[in-house]
Amino acid sequence: MADYSEKFYLVRSDILPEAMKKTLDVKAMLERGKAESIYEAVRDVDLSRSAYYKYKDAVYPFQTMVKEQIVTLFFHLEDQKGSLSNLLAVAAGFGCNVLTIHQTIPIQGKANVTLSLNTAGMTEEMNSLMQDMQGLSFVDNVEVLSSGA
């Protein structure tokens, strides 16, 4: 039987069980002071306290896991003048420190870029950074390759 006790997975929220989503809501409410107690928070989201205690130390928002860590992103870009510069400007605008850049030679008008970013200084959530980067006209695709120190 596999031992999953020390492994971590990045999972889309739409496939998480409802109890895990509600646990994240409870944690957010407590952090932001929207609830004064665990009892109040679990009642407000309609979650049992036992379910909250079962998942509270096992489920975290993505941005919590990458805070003060290194994130490596992979991009598939159209070869346009200034595209790398614009991509780096978005990272800097979010407070990321670029640690490494690797770019392939463009072939048939496309290039691959891998960026390693120190996210300790991020001013917004990782999801917002990913959305802004994906929204750039020259970005065909962006993926998280790894996160961790």
Side-chain angles (χ1 to χ4, degrees):
M1 183 170 207
D3 177 19
Y4 295 102
S5 63
E6 292 300 319
K7 293 182 180 180
F8 293 87
Y9 300 91
L10 183 62
V11 179
R12 273 192 348 254
S13 65
D14 62 325
I15 65 168
L16 284 177
E18 201 62 31
M20 287 185 176
K21 291 179 192 177
K22 288 181 178 184
T23 298
L24 290 167
D25 292 341
V26 168
K27 290 169 75 170
M29 289 174 70
L30 293 169
E31 264 184 40
R32 294 185 178 112
K34 301 285 184 185
E36 292 184 21
S37 67
I38 292 170
Y39 173 78
E40 180 183 339
V42 296
R43 183 192 66 212
D44 289 351
V45 300
D46 192 29
L47 178 70
S48 71
R49 285 189 317 145
S50 62
Y52 169 75
Y53 284 111
K54 178 179 180 178
Y55 295 120
K56 78 176 185 74
D57 294 326
V59 61
Y60 301 94
F62 180 66
Q63 63 272 12
T64 301
M65 296 303 291
V66 298
K67 208 64 172 163
E68 298 188 58
Q69 294 186 357
I70 297 168
V71 174
T72 302
L73 303 175
F74 174 81
F75 300 87
H76 191 68
L77 308 175
E78 293 178 21
D79 184 27
Q80 295 179 8
K81 183 178 180 180
S83 59
L84 182 58
S85 175
N86 290 332
L87 192 63
L88 296 174
V90 171
F94 275 78
C96 295
N97 183 29
V98 178
L99 302 173
T100 65
I101 302 169
H102 179 265
Q103 181 176 358
T104 62
I105 295 172
I107 299 174
Q108 298 180 350
K110 304 286 183 180
N112 294 325
V113 173
T114 304
L115 293 180
S116 293
L117 306 171
N118 182 332
T119 61
M122 280 189 68
T123 56
E124 296 184 47
E125 293 184 1
M126 187 69 184
N127 291 338
S128 297
L129 172 65
M130 298 286 290
Q131 286 175 347
D132 280 16
M133 289 179 158
Q134 184 67 56
L136 295 170
S137 63
F138 52 84
V139 174
D140 289 340
N141 189 35
V142 58
E143 299 174 34
V144 177
L145 288 184
S146 68
S147 67

